[in-house]
Amino acid sequence: TVLIVDELDYLVTKNQAVLYNLFEWSSRAHAQLALVGISNTMDLPERLLPRLNSRMGLARVPFLPYALPELSQILRARLGELEVFEGSGLELACRKVAAVSGDVRRNLEICRCATEIAEARTASRTDATLST
């Protein structure tokens, strides 16, 4: 059995009980469990308590952040046929994110916020038009 835990860094607490139990479970002789932890922080093993760090078999597989073409391709694929953004708006969002972090989730968040702002502005214009 393989257990994949994404965003493992969000499970870090003061006493690290959840992580300790996960790693303890996977280290038992008859567990037949491989634990794969995915984290956005490279120094997660170093930040863990020694009692937890001793239970880990460590193999780091670093993933590079997305580059501008990849971010653009992912964003266009996620938006599909929706024509809610101009090409220059998507390009700007992708350029900003690629320059800072390359995190596609940030790119999607920017688009979500832009959509909410546009929706609110449209609603206020509609309300103003209806009241006159």
Side-chain angles (χ1 to χ4, degrees):
T1 303
V2 177
L3 176 62
I4 299 174
V5 182
D6 194 8
E7 305 287 354
L8 191 67
D9 40 334
Y10 284 105
L11 296 176
V12 174
T13 61
K14 188 174 182 176
N15 67 0
Q16 299 174 348
V18 173
L19 287 174
Y20 183 81
N21 288 334
L22 280 172
F23 285 106
E24 173 67 22
W25 183 25
S26 66
S27 67
R28 293 189 181 185
H30 301 290
Q32 296 183 345
L33 173 69
L35 179 63
V36 177
I38 302 170
S39 170
N40 289 327
T41 56
M42 287 296 292
D43 66 340
L44 182 64
E46 291 80 15
R47 292 186 357 210
L48 299 176
L49 294 174
R51 73 181 182 115
L52 181 58
N53 211 354
S54 68
R55 302 233 179 279
M56 294 175 60
L58 182 62
R60 288 187 187 168
V61 181
F63 292 92
L64 296 175
Y66 288 113
L68 176 60
E70 297 164 323
L71 287 170
S72 183
Q73 180 183 8
I74 293 167
L75 199 57
R76 291 180 197 287
R78 290 290 298 267
L79 292 174
E81 298 298 318
L82 297 175
E83 294 183 16
V84 293
F85 296 100
E86 292 181 12
S88 59
L90 289 179
E91 180 74 16
L92 177 62
C94 291
R95 284 187 182 284
K96 292 292 186 181
V97 170
V100 174
S101 68
D103 186 348
V104 72
R105 293 171 298 182
R106 181 68 181 132
N107 219 350
L108 293 167
E109 176 71 12
I110 289 169
C111 290
R112 184 188 62 77
C113 289
T115 303
E116 289 174 356
I117 291 167
E119 188 176 58
R121 286 181 180 168
T122 301
S124 67
R125 286 185 195 138
T126 303
D127 291 343
T129 304
L130 292 175
S131 64
T132 57

